Amino acid sequence: MAKNKVKDPNHLSFGHLMAWKSSDIAAAWVNMIMLGYLSIFASDYLGLDVGQVGLILAVSKITDGLVDFFIGWLVDNTHTRWGKARPYEICIVGMTLSTILLFAAQPEWSYTAKLIWVFSLYVLTFSVFGSLRGVGMSCYTIRHFSNNNILIRKVASYGGIITTAGSIVASMCFPVLVENFADGPMGWIVPVAIFMIPATLFGALRFFLCKEDPAVGGDSAQQKVSFKEIFAMFRKNPYVWLYAIIMLAYNVLNGLGVTSYYFTYIIGSIGMSGVLSAFGVLLLPVMLLFPWIMKKVGTMGKMIAGLSVISVIGYLIVFFSGSNLVGMLIGYLLASLAGLPLSYYGVLFLMNVCTYNEMKGLPRMEGSANILANFCSNFGGSLGSLVTGAILAVAGYISTNANEVVTQPASAIMAIRIDFAIVPAILIAIIGVCSFAFSKLEPLAEAFEAEQRAKYEAEHAAPEQA
């Protein structure tokens, strides 16, 4: 008699992985364009003051805490035929389309109109669509993969390589498109649309192809989470704050948006920034080693802390390399190591935070546990723009309208170098310290989960033995 094949619950097909990562690739393209090029688009194409741009982007995040608080509560109390968090995934389409609209702004508009347009579309992209998608992300991941820790680690590792590869391709091509099209009659809308239109179609695949597992959470799936329990989590769970600080520092770093300035004024060509991304291909094999490194050092937090030391050294090499492209690339390669696991292992942080909630007698709150981290991610991106704007404004950076040519003062050139290397080194050091502190939770959470599984199995085995 032929034996029936038993499906491996830990198997992850390539097609499944690509469907799941489609949305992350689209979001990565949005972040690459918005965080990497919005500032120089506003200052060197629209003629807006770089300090004012940074300020209005930071101001846009003042209300995000309340918005994210409500969204986290909303996700935890959402029960639809689509699932708990899946309905919010379609917001990726809103992110891509609002990005196109933002870069449709033209230099001949009035100064006030340009400021309002940039502010409004930035808020729509990140504070509305980005927040709705971001807060629900961890919950969606856990429920789609049936809370399977092994599968989620595979998605973080292998999926991270796919997302990074997609980001590298985009980062290589986009600056070349900007250099060739941004000064034309259509301005920046052409290079942005070339990426955002396919991102809209591709990014929606996760929503249509990846369902939630209704069995995850069991009876608790229909339990209401109160605001009182969310506030209790903020009081009792220090790890939710540690993770939030990590994400704040990481997104401030990503939000600096100084790479375009560095290659324009230090290296001499914004199109050459694609070389930086191409060099990042060397990091892809390293990502395959992360699960092995985690196993060796014991925890994810310790791994990130160790990589942070290497990254700080890398940023110092970048600073002292200046316009030496080879030295800068080598330093930047080392500097990028700590950021890679943060990009794709965030859900593992959240799983541990949720487990600690249970250890303290609270609901897991897979949506609400991400409130602080998501707020800090959004605010960090804008704070990065504010930092860059403030540093360049104090240093005397000169903003221009499209096609104008200026010579920046030496103080502005040094400010760009500091913003590109020294500020990130400080942020990475903060990440390393917080990650090491977070690592104390990981073995405790693992032991608690093992204890809960053993208790569950014992309770369900008892009737059969009787």
Side-chain angles (χ1 to χ4, degrees):
M1 184 178 294
K3 294 182 179 180
N4 293 327
K5 291 185 178 180
V6 178
K7 184 179 180 181
D8 182 2
N10 299 323
H11 175 68
L12 180 66
S13 69
F14 181 74
H16 186 181
L17 182 62
M18 284 301 298
W20 179 257
K21 297 305 293 184
S22 61
S23 178
D24 291 339
I25 293 173
W29 288 3
V30 170
N31 288 328
M32 180 271 295
I33 293 174
M34 282 289 210
L35 302 182
Y37 295 91
L38 175 57
S39 183
I40 199 168
F41 165 75
S43 65
D44 287 20
Y45 182 76
L46 298 182
L48 300 177
D49 180 82
V50 68
Q52 291 180 357
V53 173
L55 180 60
I56 64 170
L57 297 186
V59 168
S60 72
K61 300 301 180 182
I62 291 178
T63 59
D64 268 12
L66 291 175
V67 172
D68 288 347
F69 185 90
F70 172 75
I71 292 174
W73 171 85
L74 183 66
V75 170
D76 276 329
N77 290 284
T78 295
H79 309 291
T80 72
R81 68 187 186 92
W82 297 98
K84 178 185 286 287
R86 185 185 176 196
Y88 304 103
E89 174 58 33
I90 199 63
C91 288
I92 185 63
V93 174
M95 292 180 68
T96 56
L97 295 181
S98 55
T99 299
I100 295 176
L101 289 175
L102 191 154
F103 283 88
Q106 296 299 312
E108 60 267 20
W109 295 359
S110 72
Y111 195 90
T112 301
K114 288 183 286 189
L115 274 178
I116 293 174
W117 186 267
V118 170
F119 174 82
S120 301
L121 270 298
Y122 188 88
V123 167
L124 191 62
T125 302
F126 289 114
S127 301
V128 179
F129 293 125
S131 289
L132 283 167
R133 178 182 178 273
V135 171
M137 180 57 58
S138 296
C139 180
Y140 190 13
T141 303
I142 292 169
R143 293 173 66 81
H144 175 66
F145 292 103
S146 306
N147 205 18
N148 185 323
N149 192 280
I150 295 176
L151 265 182
I152 292 174
R153 284 175 181 266
K154 285 183 177 181
V155 170
S157 298
Y158 306 141
I161 294 174
I162 292 173
T163 305
T164 300
S167 299
I168 288 173
V169 172
S171 299
M172 289 170 57
C173 299
F174 188 75
V176 177
L177 293 174
V178 168
E179 198 164 52
N180 284 278
F181 290 101
D183 291 335
M186 295 295 291
W188 284 63
I189 190 67
V190 173
V192 172
I194 287 174
F195 276 92
M196 288 298 98
I197 290 176
T200 302
L201 302 175
F202 184 60
L205 291 180
R206 176 189 287 178
F207 172 79
F208 289 107
L209 300 179
C210 299
K211 299 179 180 180
E212 289 186 12
D213 181 356
V216 175
D219 296 335
S220 65
Q222 299 300 322
Q223 291 179 358
K224 295 289 184 181
V225 173
S226 67
F227 287 114
K228 181 178 179 181
E229 289 170 324
I230 296 175
F231 282 117
M233 174 183 66
F234 293 154
R235 293 195 313 270
K236 297 180 180 181
N237 192 337
Y239 297 101
V240 75
W241 292 95
L242 274 177
Y243 179 48
I245 295 172
I246 291 170
M247 296 312 295
L248 176 65
Y250 176 65
N251 283 279
V252 170
L253 191 159
N254 287 336
L256 291 173
V258 71
T259 301
S260 52
Y261 289 100
Y262 191 91
F263 275 84
T264 298
Y265 296 105
I266 307 298
I267 302 300
S269 169
I270 191 173
M272 286 292 291
S273 61
V275 175
L276 191 65
S277 301
F279 208 62
V281 172
L282 298 176
L283 293 174
L284 294 181
V286 177
M287 296 179 65
L288 292 172
L289 298 177
F290 286 157
W292 177 81
I293 295 174
M294 267 194 287
K295 185 177 181 180
K296 288 294 181 181
V297 301
T299 66
M300 175 180 58
K302 288 182 179 178
M303 177 185 72
I304 294 174
L307 292 175
S308 296
V309 175
I310 300 174
S311 290
V312 169
I313 295 172
Y315 275 118
L316 293 177
I317 294 174
V318 168
F319 178 76
F320 288 108
S321 294
S323 59
N324 184 320
L325 183 60
V326 175
M328 188 276 290
L329 289 174
I330 293 173
Y332 200 83
L333 187 67
L334 297 174
S336 302
L337 287 174
L340 286 175
L342 285 174
S343 301
Y344 309 113
Y345 284 82
V347 66
L348 299 181
F349 278 106
L350 262 299
M351 288 176 68
N352 285 316
V353 168
C354 292
T355 298
Y356 191 81
N357 284 341
E358 284 190 294
M359 292 167 67
K360 290 299 179 179
L362 297 168
R364 285 185 62 83
M365 291 186 283
E366 290 150 347
S368 300
N370 203 23
I371 290 174
L372 278 177
N374 192 67
F375 166 68
C376 287
S377 296
N378 286 336
F379 182 68
S382 295
L383 186 57
S385 298
L386 177 62
V387 169
T388 292
I391 290 176
L392 296 187
V394 169
Y397 182 86
I398 303 172
S399 296
T400 64
N401 280 314
N403 300 321
E404 291 182 359
V405 179
V406 299
T407 300
Q408 298 293 345
S411 57
I413 298 300
M414 178 54 70
I416 291 172
R417 290 180 59 195
I418 291 172
D419 198 28
F420 188 67
I422 302 302
V423 174
I426 295 171
L427 294 169
I428 286 292
I430 294 172
I431 289 172
V433 172
C434 291
S435 295
F436 185 80
F438 193 96
S439 68
K440 298 178 182 179
L441 170 62
E442 295 179 65
L444 298 177
E446 186 176 350
F448 179 82
E449 290 173 355
E451 180 182 335
Q452 294 299 105
R453 283 195 299 269
K455 185 183 299 184
Y456 177 85
E457 291 171 359
E459 289 175 352
H460 286 73
E464 295 179 6
Q465 294 173 356

